[in-house]
Amino acid sequence: MNSLDWAVLIGYFGVMVAIGVWSHKRVDDVSDFFTAGGKMPWWLSGISHHMSGYSAVMFTGYAGIAYQYGITSYVTWSFPIAIGIAIGARLFAGRLNRLRSRLGVASPLEYLKARYNLPTQQALAWSGVLLKIVDVGAKWAAIATLLSVFTGMSLNQGILLTGLITGVYCTVGGLWADALTELGQFVIQLLAGVAMLVTVLGELGGFSSLWTVWDKLPDSHTQPTVGPYTLTFLLAYLFIKTFEYSGGMWNQAQRFMATASPRQAKRSARLSALLWFIWPAVLFFPMWVAPLLVRTQKPDASDSYALLTERLLPHGLLGLVVVGFFSHTMAMCSSDANAISAVFTRDIAPALSARARAWSHRAGLLAARLSTVAFLALSMAIATQVNSPTFKDIITVVIKWVAGLVGPISIPFLLGMLRVFRRSGPTAALGSWAAGLFAFWLTNYGLSDVQLQIQIVSPVATSLVLYLLLGLVRPEDTEERDAVLARINSGGDDDGTTGAWAVAGAEAGVGAGGGGAGGGRGAATGLAGIPEQATGPEGLTGDGGTEDGRAADGRPGGKRTGGGPGLRP
């Protein structure tokens, strides 16, 4: 990299920080910080969902797979993700949106306290937080590896630089900053990816090389499944990614929650699925033909794309591609940081401290920002150890740890929203979660010579089977849990709002003496914003209303008391 490349990189960092500062003006409370107040356009949500789904690991770990095995890198990675998101668009996207619009929650896991119980919510929250610290640590290590190739920075220096820049804009601007920077990053990656594709095609003889170059590559390069990436692996990956990218990874759930209505959430998911189907193929082509142009130095070929970029691109464009590397990693890491902050602030902290349950909007927002910083710092510390014997290497963390552990966390969370699983209660949720974690340990560390696809699929398959069986053997459906499911599932794709449901609660339940249309509480339909710290049968709370019956964020709400299964807005 020369001065022109550095100017492009520094300019990019400056724009990211500026977006964060601008987004700060749009954040007044935790709802704005975590779910953009439900005001995010569906197309921005869709692009944000897509960009937050992959990182610089694509240009290191998956670049190595593409270099060694060819098109299987697309067939067994981005293609099943596209299919999984399309499935999730129908099953989960609209329901995730209703968590915010009808239950008034700001964290994806807030509803679990009413759907199951407090221990279930805490088990999923803590294990998910710990998993994401490791996952994001791998992403920091990936971008630092690329940065070291181009600049000569050490791994730790690269981790510190990218972590600090990301921390500034996502801590200040919340989800709005994440989404807007991801939009800018998408445009940058579009330009960089197309520039790389055109350059490689020119090097290989022109546009016709798209179909003529394959004879010069190993035969295995055109096989959809090859090596350890078998058909079984593909099916296992599709199974896992359907849960992970449909909301099992909480940052993905936030994008659907941030849109105005269930219909827009579904459109957002479909756009993301379409992008996953098309765009990775454009990025992968240079990696597939890289054996004809560069010789890698690392055994896993994870340096292939960086070497290709250094050889082929002129200065300026080189800086743009390096910015593209950063864009993916920073998009994912910042969105993960926001999601984890939401879970800590809304789910973990209130369970640990009575003081946290009484946080004002200002105190809650400050806690959200501080927890974001803490998460980024911990993940950066983990990143320095990603190549240790415990984690082995970047791609191992991403494929084994994340794919293996996301199932036990996402099964109770996502399937708990579907009416067909109404009988599965706390026993099924905790039992499936614990058994899935044990299956991960057994196949990865307890037994030797276990196939990769078995290591990946066994935890989520174990969790799914136990969740179903325990729900049948020991049904735990109750009136309160059925009421939560009714709010998530009833109605169409309209802009159903918390206020409308609060009115329904007032009509169906017992008046609480609150002013305005939002006064009242219903045993089956009491919702967020009804009372000031009102505690329902499941122990969840709602922030207070004012004398005229309005909740603190402007929605209809009751005055001070309430008996329904309220949820904090």
Side-chain angles (χ1 to χ4, degrees):
M1 291 178 63
N2 67 3
S3 57
L4 181 58
D5 298 316
W6 276 107
V8 172
L9 185 60
I10 293 171
Y12 164 76
F13 283 152
V15 170
M16 296 302 100
V17 172
I19 289 175
V21 173
W22 181 86
S23 301
H24 179 72
K25 300 176 182 178
R26 302 180 69 101
V27 178
D28 295 324
D29 55 29
V30 290
S31 177
D32 293 333
F33 192 82
F34 294 134
T35 62
K39 300 174 183 177
M40 188 176 293
W42 68 268
W43 57 267
L44 179 58
S45 170
I47 292 174
S48 177
H49 184 279
H50 174 73
M51 285 296 293
S52 64
Y54 57 107
S55 67
V57 172
M58 179 177 182
F59 302 101
T60 52
Y62 283 104
I65 295 173
Y67 184 94
Q68 298 175 82
Y69 298 108
I71 67 170
T72 192
S73 61
Y74 171 83
V75 174
T76 61
W77 180 61
S78 58
F79 179 71
I81 291 176
I83 300 300
I85 296 173
I87 294 171
R90 180 169 182 81
L91 289 179
F92 302 118
R95 290 177 171 89
L96 285 167
N97 182 268
R98 294 188 187 105
L99 293 184
R100 177 199 55 78
S101 61
R102 292 187 176 175
L103 300 187
V105 302
S107 158
L109 299 192
E110 272 186 273
Y111 97 103
L112 294 179
K113 194 174 180 183
R115 175 60 181 87
Y116 301 112
N117 58 15
L118 180 61
T120 302
Q121 181 202 41
Q122 293 301 299
L124 268 62
W126 279 103
S127 56
V129 167
L130 295 174
L131 170 61
K132 290 310 296 183
I133 290 175
V134 175
D135 178 32
V136 173
K139 306 303 190 301
W140 293 136
I143 192 61
T145 299
L146 287 171
L147 192 61
S148 67
V149 173
F150 292 109
T151 67
M153 281 187 181
S154 69
L155 180 70
N156 291 346
Q157 288 173 333
I159 292 168
L160 181 62
L161 174 63
T162 53
L164 287 177
I165 297 297
T166 304
V168 170
Y169 77 79
C170 76
T171 301
V172 171
L175 191 64
W176 272 117
D178 289 347
L180 292 173
T181 52
E182 284 158 359
L183 174 62
Q185 289 157 359
F186 177 74
V187 173
I188 291 169
Q189 186 57 62
L190 182 67
L191 297 174
V194 170
M196 188 64 171
L197 177 65
V198 171
T199 303
V200 168
L201 290 176
E203 190 76 10
L204 296 175
F207 186 76
S208 61
S209 60
L210 281 172
W211 56 86
T212 61
V213 74
W214 302 102
D215 292 338
K216 304 174 185 178
L217 293 164
D219 292 339
S220 61
H221 258 55
T222 57
Q223 296 179 16
T225 56
V226 64
Y229 307 102
T230 63
L231 177 60
T232 305
F233 176 91
L234 169 60
L235 295 176
Y237 210 69
L238 171 60
F239 182 55
I240 292 166
K241 294 304 174 181
T242 298
F243 288 101
E244 179 180 345
Y245 280 76
S246 295
M249 283 299 189
W250 307 325
N251 61 312
Q252 308 286 12
Q254 283 181 300
R255 271 64 190 166
F256 301 141
M257 294 171 66
T259 59
S261 68
R263 178 182 288 111
Q264 290 201 25
K266 293 178 181 179
R267 295 176 72 183
S268 166
R270 294 188 190 108
L271 173 59
S272 180
L274 181 64
L275 290 173
W276 272 103
F277 182 73
I278 297 173
W279 182 237
V282 176
L283 295 178
F284 267 131
F285 183 81
M287 304 178 196
W288 294 333
V289 301
L292 302 176
L293 301 171
V294 296
R295 190 175 299 275
T296 62
Q297 300 172 9
K298 294 188 175 184
D300 62 355
S302 61
D303 58 345
S304 60
Y305 197 81
L307 294 172
L308 194 67
T309 302
E310 277 196 317
R311 177 189 163 182
L312 297 181
L313 294 183
H315 292 293
L317 276 181
L318 175 60
L320 186 64
V321 170
V322 174
V323 163
F325 297 156
F326 277 97
S327 69
H328 283 301
T329 299
M330 295 173 74
M332 174 172 276
C333 294
S334 62
S335 64
D336 279 333
N338 187 273
I340 295 305
S341 176
V343 170
F344 177 81
T345 305
R346 306 288 290 185
D347 303 316
I348 294 177
L352 297 177
S353 168
R355 188 174 181 180
R357 292 193 290 272
W359 275 338
S360 65
H361 285 301
R362 182 184 180 91
L365 189 56
L366 177 61
R369 289 179 166 137
L370 291 176
S371 59
T372 301
V373 172
F375 169 77
L376 291 173
L378 287 172
S379 63
M380 290 161 63
I382 289 291
T384 63
Q385 306 299 316
V386 76
N387 288 316
S388 69
T390 302
F391 300 117
K392 292 187 179 179
D393 54 44
I394 296 169
I395 200 66
T396 297
V397 172
V398 173
I399 291 182
K400 286 188 178 181
W401 280 64
V402 178
L405 291 173
V406 71
I409 298 170
S410 63
I411 290 292
F413 167 54
L414 290 176
L415 296 188
M417 294 187 295
L418 304 181
R419 272 201 180 111
V420 68
F421 299 109
R422 59 185 292 270
R423 292 175 176 268
S424 296
T427 301
L430 283 174
S432 65
W433 166 81
L437 296 184
F438 176 76
F440 172 80
W441 173 84
L442 184 65
T443 55
N444 282 272
Y445 301 101
L447 301 175
S448 59
D449 300 324
V450 179
Q451 293 182 329
L452 179 62
Q453 54 263 34
I454 301 300
Q455 292 176 331
I456 291 174
V457 79
S458 58
V460 65
T462 301
S463 293
L464 177 61
V465 170
L466 270 182
Y467 188 79
L468 294 173
L469 289 179
L470 289 174
L472 293 173
V473 173
R474 186 174 178 178
E476 296 178 298
D477 49 315
T478 65
E479 183 179 341
E480 290 80 9
R481 289 171 187 148
D482 287 347
V484 172
L485 285 173
R487 293 173 222 151
I488 298 172
N489 287 274
S490 60
D493 294 335
D494 61 317
D495 297 332
T497 61
T498 303
W501 283 74
V503 173
E507 295 173 350
V510 182
R521 58 187 179 182
T525 55
L527 285 176
I530 301 174
E532 180 176 65
Q533 296 298 324
T535 302
E538 296 300 320
L540 293 172
T541 59
D543 288 334
T546 60
E547 288 298 313
D548 63 353
R550 308 295 294 181
D553 61 356
R555 294 192 303 250
K559 196 170 183 180
R560 290 190 180 276
T561 60
L567 295 166
R568 292 179 73 156

